[in-house]
Amino acid sequence: MASVVVILITLSSVMMVSTILGMIFDRFGDWNYPILRYEEGELYSFLNLGSYLVQALALFAGVIVFSMTLYFLISLMTNHLLIGLMTIFVIYLLGSGMTEIAFFANYAHWNPFSYYTVSSIVSQEQAALTENWGLTLGHGIVTLTLSSLVILVITMTFLQLKRN
């Protein structure tokens, strides 16, 4: 519990110092700062910083929920912290490694591990690199939500079977 408090204090201190330094040396900030966004057909457009941050936060929340549900399922199955963390690490490596294989690259937009690189998904850099334009913010949120719900149903079923 104490470590969580230390982490929160450190995080909030860094955020406050960064904000104060930004306000001293250059006004509060520019929410219209342009962020490059790739588009299909070797085109690009610009996304303002405010929209980028909102979209990145939404996708990151989906990644966090998916990761937590997956960890909850694995922790119920293993009952050991180190084994659970190692299993999650192996699952992540396998899941993200599948997007590198040519056959699976066409279906990467259905793989929830493809959306762990939040920044490259929001800017559609990952879609441009893999030439899979299904890797979008909207599809990522849907994929992560559905995957989380499926894992949650499996977890609840496993928990019911474990109780009986």
Side-chain angles (χ1 to χ4, degrees):
M1 181 66 176
S3 62
V4 173
V5 172
V6 170
I7 290 170
L8 289 176
I9 290 172
T10 304
L11 183 62
S12 60
S13 299
V14 168
M15 289 172 56
M16 284 182 6
V17 168
S18 299
T19 303
I20 291 170
L21 285 175
M23 289 171 58
I24 291 172
F25 293 110
D26 184 32
R27 59 186 199 278
F28 187 69
D30 191 1
W31 291 102
N32 290 322
Y33 186 82
I35 306 291
L36 182 66
R37 182 180 186 152
Y38 296 91
E39 306 224 352
E40 195 169 2
E42 297 184 15
L43 299 173
Y44 65 91
S45 63
F46 291 101
L47 183 67
N48 67 25
L49 181 62
S51 297
Y52 176 83
L53 289 175
V54 168
Q55 291 176 12
L57 185 63
L59 187 60
F60 186 67
V63 167
I64 293 296
V65 169
F66 172 75
S67 298
M68 289 175 63
T69 56
L70 184 63
Y71 179 72
F72 186 59
L73 174 64
I74 298 300
S75 68
L76 281 176
M77 291 180 167
T78 61
N79 289 330
H80 194 270
L81 176 67
L82 188 58
I83 294 172
L85 289 175
M86 288 173 46
T87 305
I88 290 292
F89 183 69
V90 168
I91 289 172
Y92 171 73
L93 286 178
L94 291 174
S96 61
M98 282 181 17
T99 60
E100 302 296 324
I101 299 171
F103 173 75
F104 293 114
N106 296 330
Y107 305 103
H109 55 281
W110 292 108
N111 183 353
F113 295 101
S114 299
Y115 298 100
Y116 273 58
T117 54
V118 172
S119 175
S120 64
I121 295 296
V122 173
S123 67
Q124 293 187 332
E125 177 185 1
Q126 190 72 22
L129 290 173
T130 61
E131 295 182 8
N132 182 350
W133 294 98
L135 287 167
T136 62
L137 172 73
H139 203 279
I141 290 174
V142 168
T143 300
L144 289 166
T145 302
L146 290 177
S147 299
S148 297
L149 289 175
V150 167
I151 291 173
L152 195 60
V153 167
I154 292 170
T155 303
M156 293 301 160
T157 304
F158 183 78
L159 199 55
Q160 286 296 326
L161 291 174
K162 196 173 182 179
R163 284 185 183 166
N164 294 333

